Amino acid sequence: MRHLTIRGRDLAVLDQGRRVPLLLVHGFPLDHSLWAPQIAAFAADRAVIAPDLAGFGDSDPRGYESLDEQAEDLTALLDALGLGRVVVAGLSMGGYIALALWRRRPERFAGLVLACTRAGADNEAGRAGRYQMALAIEAQGMAAAAGAMLPRLLAEGAPEGLRREVEAMVLRQPASGSVAAQKAMAARPDASPDLAGIAVPTLVIAGEADAIIPADEARAMAAAIPGAQLAILPGAGHLACLEAPAAFNAVLGGFLDQVDAGGPLG
Ligand code: MLT
């Protein structure tokens, strides 16, 4: 129940329909199940939209060689669902896509959550590594992605059961989508110049033990976004939403409450 002051008196009101919808954008090479703990925590009292991006999960396996195309899919998805402004939460590649969406459609944002992600583009070595991984996935399938990424996706002390769950998630992705996504990530522009212009409430979340995107990058990104909040989750690795779900949900839930309280929705 929310409490509103109505004509000078406190009125308790169930106001589910006015909670800002939450769009969850998963990372690579994963699908919407990355967000299982957040769907469980937040879908009871707000619209939670968690697509399998094109090229992942049960969606069209072809994918895109451009993250702008993924961002356009998300816009069309919001249109198809009749949603105006939403909180967009992206983890890692999902964060790159959230920043691409911000560049193209800022009017669709009620808030932004950037989790375990970065604003910068790849350097030459990073791009070369992506093309190598794309070739390896073409030749060997998703086992190549699992072999390269699994050791760094989770923090060292992550439970074995979670490790197996993430491995299964990686292995069930269509190879074609992951090949396209590697090329798309290699081609993404540097979003750093956009950060100063982000004019919606923003939360940056990082895993303290992230071996793929160090927490220092989150600190710098949060410092560059006006008014951004920052949460570094102790002990969590790159998949902080799965590794530290209680802590992740506590900061995300607090942020969503603030956005809900912030004013009328578009
Ligand atoms: C991800 O988790 O989405 C990837 O690690 C992102 C990347 O490869 O840059």
Side-chain angles (χ1 to χ4, degrees), residues 27-28 91-94 96 118 130 149 153 185 212 238:
F28 173 91
L91 185 135
S92 198
M93 179 183 75
Y96 311 156
R118 59 162 59 101
R130 291 201 192 276
M149 295 198 67
L153 275 176
M185 287 192 279
I212 294 182
H238 188 59

Side-chain angles (χ1 to χ4, degrees), residues 110-254:
L112 170 63
V113 181
L114 295 169
C116 309
T117 193
R118 59 162 59 101
D122 291 343
N123 59 22
E124 276 305 309
R127 270 192 287 275
R130 291 201 192 276
Y131 281 105
Q132 263 169 19
M133 194 191 287
L135 287 174
I137 295 172
E138 270 170 347
Q140 300 154 36
M142 291 309 291
M149 295 198 67
L150 275 174
R152 298 190 308 145
L153 275 176
L154 300 173
E156 258 178 33
E160 198 42 45
L162 182 58
R163 224 166 261 288
R164 278 198 296 271
E165 194 186 310
V166 171
E167 181 176 25
M169 205 190 304
V170 172
L171 291 175
R172 70 173 175 254
Q173 303 308 318
S176 51
S178 286
V179 169
Q182 280 296 338
K183 294 177 183 171
M185 287 192 279
R188 78 188 192 283
D190 181 8
S192 311
D194 301 323
L195 298 180
I198 294 179
V200 291
T202 300
L203 169 66
V204 175
I205 306 178
E208 187 190 36
D210 189 334
I212 294 182
I213 301 182
D216 275 349
E217 295 208 33
R219 288 189 180 91
M221 190 165 61
I225 301 173
Q229 300 169 41
L230 172 68
I232 310 274
L233 306 186
H238 188 59
L239 302 186
C241 60
L242 272 183
E243 295 181 70
F248 193 101
N249 288 351
V251 289
L252 177 57

